[in-house]
Amino acid sequence: MVSIDGLGDLWDKLFGAQPDPPPLLVLLTAVVALVVVSTRLPWRIARNAITIAHEGGHALVALLTGRRLHGIRLHSDTSGLTLSAGRPTGPGMILTLLAGYVAPPLVGLAGAWLLGGNRITLLLWVAVALLLAMLVLVRNAFGVLSLLVTGGAVLAVSWYATPQVQAAFAYTGVWFLLLGGVRPVAELQRLRSRGRMPASDADQLAGLTPLPAFFWVTFFALANLAALAAGALLLAGPILADAGLTG
């Protein structure tokens, strides 16, 4: 049986604020995330985390709009598929399609908000909880393995790592979601221009609305850039304030 003191310690660990990270850590983690996003092999490996957030966005909005979720599949080529049933047209389907590409930077923005309050451990535990919830919905072996590895890494860092390592891990992950949400939109348009993604989210949205696919690609890009700017301000705001660059 867990004692009251033990529960109190767990509560403090989960919801307590950690010390402010050194400004250098915030900047270095941003550089690391940018290098991963902009280089081929690291991006190829780390992109799985973007796919997890992308498909998670589809799944969450499908459930919130009353659609029946049949499952999620994550593939080794970093593609994914979320299957839901319901009306093939209408607001629910449109919002479900809309959620995928904007989900990674929005998740990053939520993470930046938590980091802005120095809730590093809480951020890591929330990430574990979301990955576990998504695990129930995955319907293929690679997807299960990908979520178990990702969730296990986050759990291990949150439970065993020092506060400094937790901070570095959390900041790198949030920067990666913010920055990594932009590149897939550019890749989407490049593949579309070559006729290689005729059934992309943007093209399906074009079929459901009066607006062309390029409008939706542009919307994804602008939304993700806005989330990146807001998240960067949350993460780097204390540094700018210390430097006297903010009001």
Side-chain angles (χ1 to χ4, degrees):
M1 182 177 294
V2 179
S3 67
I4 298 298
D5 289 342
L7 288 175
D9 291 341
L10 182 61
W11 182 271
D12 289 340
K13 179 177 181 179
L14 181 57
F15 291 99
Q18 285 73 46
D20 289 334
L24 183 60
L25 181 143
V26 179
L27 294 175
L28 286 178
T29 52
V31 171
V32 169
L34 181 60
V35 169
V36 171
V37 170
S38 59
T39 52
R40 184 170 183 176
L41 181 58
W43 170 247
R44 174 66 179 76
I45 297 171
R47 197 185 194 280
N48 283 294
I50 300 297
T51 303
I52 290 171
H54 179 114
E55 300 304 329
H58 283 315
L60 176 61
V61 174
L63 291 172
L64 291 176
T65 55
R67 298 180 63 79
R68 298 185 303 278
L69 191 61
H70 287 173
I72 300 169
R73 300 179 71 87
L74 304 171
H75 303 131
S76 58
D77 64 355
T78 73
S79 65
L81 179 66
T82 299
L83 296 174
S84 64
R87 287 186 57 193
T89 60
M93 189 65 204
I94 291 171
L95 290 173
T96 298
L97 288 168
L98 193 63
Y101 278 97
V102 300
L106 289 179
V107 172
L109 181 58
W113 178 74
L114 285 174
L115 290 181
N118 289 340
R119 298 303 196 273
I120 296 171
T121 303
L122 178 60
L123 168 65
L124 296 175
W125 283 33
V126 167
V128 171
L130 292 174
L131 290 168
L132 287 175
M134 192 171 172
L135 182 62
V136 179
L137 303 171
V138 170
R139 298 292 182 265
N140 68 320
F142 179 82
V144 170
L145 178 61
S146 182
L147 286 172
L148 286 175
V149 170
T150 305
V154 177
L155 180 61
V157 170
S158 69
W159 195 259
Y160 297 109
T162 64
Q164 293 79 10
V165 173
Q166 287 187 16
F169 184 87
Y171 272 86
T172 302
V174 168
W175 277 118
F176 176 73
L177 288 170
L178 291 168
L179 292 163
V182 176
R183 178 167 174 173
V185 180
E187 294 175 343
L188 167 65
Q189 182 55 28
R190 185 171 65 251
L191 291 172
R192 285 190 65 259
S193 67
R194 299 173 182 173
R196 294 174 57 185
M197 289 190 72
S200 71
D201 292 353
D203 289 281
Q204 292 183 68
L205 284 165
L208 295 173
T209 68
L211 301 167
F214 184 72
F215 169 88
W216 294 110
V217 175
T218 303
F219 176 85
F220 295 152
L222 293 176
N224 292 3
L225 287 171
L228 170 59
L233 187 60
L234 285 170
L235 294 174
I239 300 174
L240 298 177
D242 289 343
L245 298 179
T246 58

